[in-house]
Structures are given as C-alpha cells and as structure tokens.
Amino acid sequence: MSFKLANRNLICKSLSELFFEEIINDALERDEQFYTLHLKNNLKYSFQAKESIWGHLIIDESTLKRNDEKPLLASSFFKETQFLTQMTDITLANFLEELKQTIYSDTHFFNKSPSVSELASKNSLEIESYLNGHPKLLLNKGRIGWNPTEMQQYSPEANSSFKLTRVAIKRDLITVSLSDTPLEKVAHCDLTEFEQKEIERKILEKDLNPHDYLIIPVHPWQWENKIKTFFLKEIEMNEILFLGEFGDLYKPHISLRTLSNQDNESQFDIKLPITILNTSCYRGISDKFVKTAVDLSDTFETILESDDLFKELNTKALKDCGAFSYVGQDYEDIQDAPYRYREMLGGYWRQSTKSKLKEGQKAIMTGALSYVDQSGKSFLNHLIETSSLNIDQWLTQYFNHIVIPLYHLQAKYGIGLVAHGQNTQIILENNRPIGLIVKDFQGDLRLNTDMPEFIKALFNHECLKVVDHLPPHYIVHDLLTGHFVSVLRFLSACLLKECAYPEENFYSTLAHVIEQYEKTHLKQSLIPSLNEETIQKVLLNKVRFSIGYQDQTLRPKPELGSPMKNPLRAKRKKYV
C-alpha cells in the first residue's frame, strides 16, 4: 500500500467512526450523498457517502478531497480536528506517535493485497496476515514499543515466523493452571527429545536440579526488552534461567499475542505477553485469570457438550489446556501499580483451530468476512457467490450458526462472551456456514448477576470470584456491541456497498432467525429482549481522546453515547 493510500484510507475510516461516535457531526454538512466537514480557517474535507443503518458513514474513498488541494495526511487531519476531538496537546502528540506507527505498517507491509478468491484459498492464519486490524479503533497498529525491524519480525502482516525463547523458572514462584495432563507435557509439546535433553544439560551445568524448574516459552521480544531488565534479580539468583531458542516455528495471529505452530498446525496455540501499547492497552497476560483458566474453559466446554442446541449447531470451544504466570516481586505488593507491570510474564496453551475441524472444513475469524480487495469485492460476498446459496440463504445459515449460539449462551445460561471478530470463528464447508468456534475466555467471558443457582453451580468457587458479574442490561451488550456492532455492522455495509443489498433486509433476516429461536427453544430469557426500540452505543475512540496515555491501574473502559435505533426493528426493503 502506498503512503498516500494509507493516509487516505485512515482519514476515511476516521470520518466514519468519528461520525458514529458523535464527535464531528455538528461540523458535518450533508447534501444527499455529498458530505462536507467544515473546519477552522475555511478548511473543508468533502466526500460521498451513505449513512448506514447503525449511523456510521459508508464512504467512497476515491471521492475524498480537501478544498485547499493539499495532500491528504492523517496527521494533519487530527491536528485540524483537535477542537472536535478535544484532545489535549499531550494526548494529541502521543496519538500522532501511534498514528505514525499505524501508517508505517500499512505503507510497508500491505503492499500486496490478495483478491478475495486468492484469500479464500489460504488457511485461517494466512488470512489473518492480510487483514487490516481492528475495524472500530482508528489506530489499529500503534504498537508503541516496536521499531520497524521488530515489526518486520513479529507483526502478523509481515507474514514471518520465529522460534520462541525458552526459560526455566523455579516451580515455587510460578502460578499454574492445568487439567489432568501434567503441565510439562503441555509446555514441552513442541520440543524434541534431543531439545529436552539439551535444556536439562544447560540446567545441570549450573549445578541446579532440573526438576526444580518448569520450562516455559516467552516471546523473544519480551525477553530482550522486558524480562532481562525487570527480572534481573531473579535471573542473578538463578530463579529464572535463560535457555535460548528451542522448539517449532510460530506465527502470530492478528491479536499479536496468540501464536500458532507453523510446523504442526494441530499442536497447541500459545498466547504470550508483549508489553507494547496496541489498540487501547498494553498487551500483557493478567495473572488474575491464570489460576482458573483451565477450569473455566473445561466448564464452558461441558456446557456446550451437554446442550442439544449447541451440538445441533456445531458450536465448539478452543480450550485452555494449561496456563502460567509470574508477577515480579517488586510489583506484587504495590496495589495500584499500572496493570502492565503485573502482566509481563505468563501465558496460555490453547487448542488449535485445526484440532476442531473435519476433512473439508475450514475456519476463519468472523472479522475476516469484511475484508475488501483492491477491486472492491468483499470476502463475504465471494463466499456467498461460491456457496450455491443466495444472500438471504447464506445469511440465515450464518445467523443460525453464529448468532444463535451466542444468544443461547446469554438467554439460557447467563453467560456473556464479548463476541468480537477475533474470538469467534466461523466454520465453513463448501463456503457455507456450518458452525462456530469460540476462544479466549480470559476477560471476554462474564456472568449474569441474575443467573440461576443451578447454572452458577457449574462453575467452581475460584472461577466465580475471578469472572466479572454484570447485570442483565449490561451483559446483553456482549452480543449487541460485541458482535452486532463490531462485526455485523461492517458485514451489512459490505453487502450494501458492493451488491446494493439493503441493510434492512440483512437485519430483518436476523430478526426472523432470532424470533424462530425464541419460539422453538426459549421459554424464559435471562437477558432483556433483543428487540428493544433502541440500543445503547458504546464508544471506544472517545475514551482515548479523553483519558490520554497516562498509566492506569486498570485497563481503560469504554464510554456511552446516544442510544441507536435498533436495526432488528427495520422492515425489509425490496431488493433488485
């Protein structure tokens, strides 16, 4: 992608999301499909767009221009709109650093965008390397802490793979979570017998007992940039031993921290902390969830396997099979220390996507469906066209296999999963939706305060202490905001822009599928009706504008905007 195109695309995305978050609306003039943003000193940005059913702008990027004919620069745009975003100078300066990192990645690593037919031929991890990142957060590749060389080595769009650094850590220091399988078998799963003996030899050379240590992986960047300095005392006291690079090659997912085994795709994925600032927070591993990680995912899988509807709809979970964490001794007793200092050393071993698939099936993250190639064709529409189904039929299958299981979790069990585009995967067969895979329960899974005692009894006491409990009118947003606003609003916009398929048809089909589920399977719901007249709007970018970049004890929380009209109440339009 050229520098010019990267800037234009980011400005268009910003215009769309800033309109959705009600930040630029008072300065925006509309004349049918022509929009003009009026800024200071008679500066204007003009473009053609349609307003989506959700209230964001579907922009024709080729029409964007400035009235002074200066180049389109995203950095200039945010300086010019500072009076609207109300960022302080300090926040704006930090924001521009994150912006420059994002533009750099887009310019240098997105030089080749495959056609949707080429994308469809790739596996799920390869597909992730071509995606453009978080659709709602404006600066989705900020990665403050990485230099260009490190982006080339470790970013998903660079499409590179690498070995993990292995360290040995004293067993009595580390917090672990495991199932019936000994953690060593999980932690050593990608090490050859020769490598395990070589590691043992290195420990014996220090006159230490290998049985006193657990061998764990760390991200090579994290070792070099954080662990070597923050854990120097433990290293000098032989509580943490550096062993070197061992094991198979790994490749990062779009989430950066999760890595898949390139040499054996059926082997465990590994999720490791990388203490860089990206998409709103530092990408660490919270020790809060480690103790209960395996129990929580075991319980979740038990629910899926004991429910006839989940089995009928082919709903699966990627279980956490082991987890560990260690909080540096200098930080464990500082109660209000910024969260990033407690999240530097830890990890999860998780079942791989391939381990859940049958012959002829593939799975892709739901966020990948809104990918659009250089010819303007969406991945979603390509799948529809090659599935022998029409749009209505394909969407009906998607809603039945993806939305209904997420709704069923909330309505029957009181379990909310923040079902964004990365932790939900659609299982495809002949490019038709046939199932759902969910993953990543640490922090994304919450429980309804009104859930029945018999459901609560499924979780052990520690899980109940760790997992957030939210009232029904909040937890419903794990579906409404998590999936409808974060995934579906971009899919309906794709079909409107490419196929002139009315968004009203998209959501009336969804409403019909939900209604059929409620009639057939739902006697009493634990959450408010999805058919309320309005839906609360959750804002992400506005939070950054207001709180800035200072350290915080907890991760940032989103803000609320004006209620939106519920698209599920829309009436179907004639589609030609």
Side-chain angles (χ1 to χ4, degrees), residues 164-199:
L164 302 178
T165 299
R166 307 290 166 144
V167 302
I169 187 167
K170 289 289 291 290
R171 289 177 182 270
D172 57 354
L173 295 179
I174 199 166
T175 298
V176 299
S177 175
L178 63 154
S179 56
D180 297 334
T181 306
L183 192 57
E184 284 85 352
K185 286 194 174 181
V186 178
H188 301 174
C189 64
D190 64 333
L191 300 176
T192 64
E193 186 176 344
F194 173 80
E195 286 177 318
Q196 292 183 52
K197 288 182 179 178
E198 179 65 13
I199 287 171

Side-chain angles (χ1 to χ4, degrees), residues 39-59:
L39 303 177
K40 293 179 178 179
N41 302 318
N42 200 35
L43 175 62
K44 301 173 186 176
Y45 284 83
S46 61
F47 54 92
Q48 292 182 33
K50 297 177 182 178
E51 187 173 337
S52 82
I53 201 168
W54 289 102
H56 74 279
L57 296 176
I58 306 170
I59 298 174

